Amino acid sequence: MNASPTLDELLGRCTRSALHLEMRDGYGYSSPGFRAWRDGKPFDRTDFDAPWVNLIRATVDRGVVVRRARIVSEPVSDYIRYEHSATPHANLAGGELVRWLPRHRASDLALPGNDFWLFDGGLVRFGLHSGDGEATGYDLSEDPAVVKLCATAFEAVWQRGIDHAEYWPT
């Protein structure tokens, strides 16, 4: 690919499905939402989440199914507790479907080395992160073997996953 499309652009081009697999126990500890949650301070999520919610809502309204699966260690990290509490505001509000899979139930699954988005079953966007969970960039792949690995991994996690409404982090 010549250009490096943004996530917004990739979702905008999507016509059928956008799948996101998350496998880390923490992301972006510098997030103001996380810091407020961690410190027990009030935080109005409305403006904070609006760009994402609006993007996903517009994507879903075009008929694209957006699914997110999260593999988490248990007992969960503080960040995962925060993420679970934010999911109704940031993900479900836009129309994403979300499932959680305790890591011990993923031991026998073949998983890629990084989180990823898979768009319309043909383009993978791997998210790259530093050790402390901050985003550092991404890689794109249309390699059929990579697409197949990611599609298979996502579906295996999705099948074993627990719907957000049923999962309570321990």
Side-chain angles (χ1 to χ4, degrees), residues 3-115:
S4 296
T6 66
L7 184 57
D8 290 16
E9 291 169 335
L10 292 168
L11 285 166
R13 295 176 191 169
C14 225
T15 60
R16 296 181 320 276
S17 67
L19 312 177
H20 188 131
L21 182 60
E22 296 178 354
M23 299 181 283
R24 297 181 57 89
D25 287 319
Y27 299 88
Y29 292 99
S30 62
S31 159
F34 172 70
R35 287 189 313 227
W37 178 89
R38 179 196 61 206
D39 297 341
K41 295 180 178 174
F43 184 78
D44 183 357
R45 298 201 62 88
T46 308
D47 290 338
F48 184 73
D49 292 327
W52 182 254
V53 170
N54 292 337
L55 173 63
I56 295 302
R57 186 174 296 130
T59 303
V60 169
D61 286 350
R62 288 194 333 270
V64 177
V65 176
V66 181
R67 295 187 289 161
R68 179 183 301 257
R70 293 174 168 143
I71 299 173
V72 296
S73 300
E74 291 181 321
V76 298
S77 67
D78 281 346
Y79 189 88
I80 295 300
R81 287 185 199 290
Y82 158 73
E83 192 171 60
H84 188 272
S85 71
T87 294
H89 309 284
N91 306 103
L92 302 178
E96 283 187 67
L97 305 172
V98 179
R99 290 191 182 173
W100 302 78
L101 181 64
R103 191 170 309 281
H104 70 89
R105 294 183 53 201
S107 296
D108 61 344
L109 299 179
L111 300 168
N114 290 295
D115 294 6

Side-chain angles (χ1 to χ4, degrees), residues 98-167:
V98 179
R99 290 191 182 173
W100 302 78
L101 181 64
R103 191 170 309 281
H104 70 89
R105 294 183 53 201
S107 296
D108 61 344
L109 299 179
L111 300 168
N114 290 295
D115 294 6
F116 64 85
W117 279 92
L118 176 59
F119 301 98
D120 288 334
L123 174 66
V124 176
R125 181 185 192 258
F126 289 107
L128 308 176
H129 295 84
S130 64
D132 63 0
E134 298 296 331
T136 60
Y138 62 90
D139 288 329
L140 298 174
S141 179
E142 294 177 297
D143 180 309
V146 172
V147 168
K148 182 178 180 183
L149 168 68
C150 292
T152 302
F154 184 89
E155 292 305 331
V157 171
W158 189 259
Q159 290 303 313
R160 290 186 187 182
I162 303 163
D163 184 74
H164 178 78
E166 303 298 320
Y167 181 73

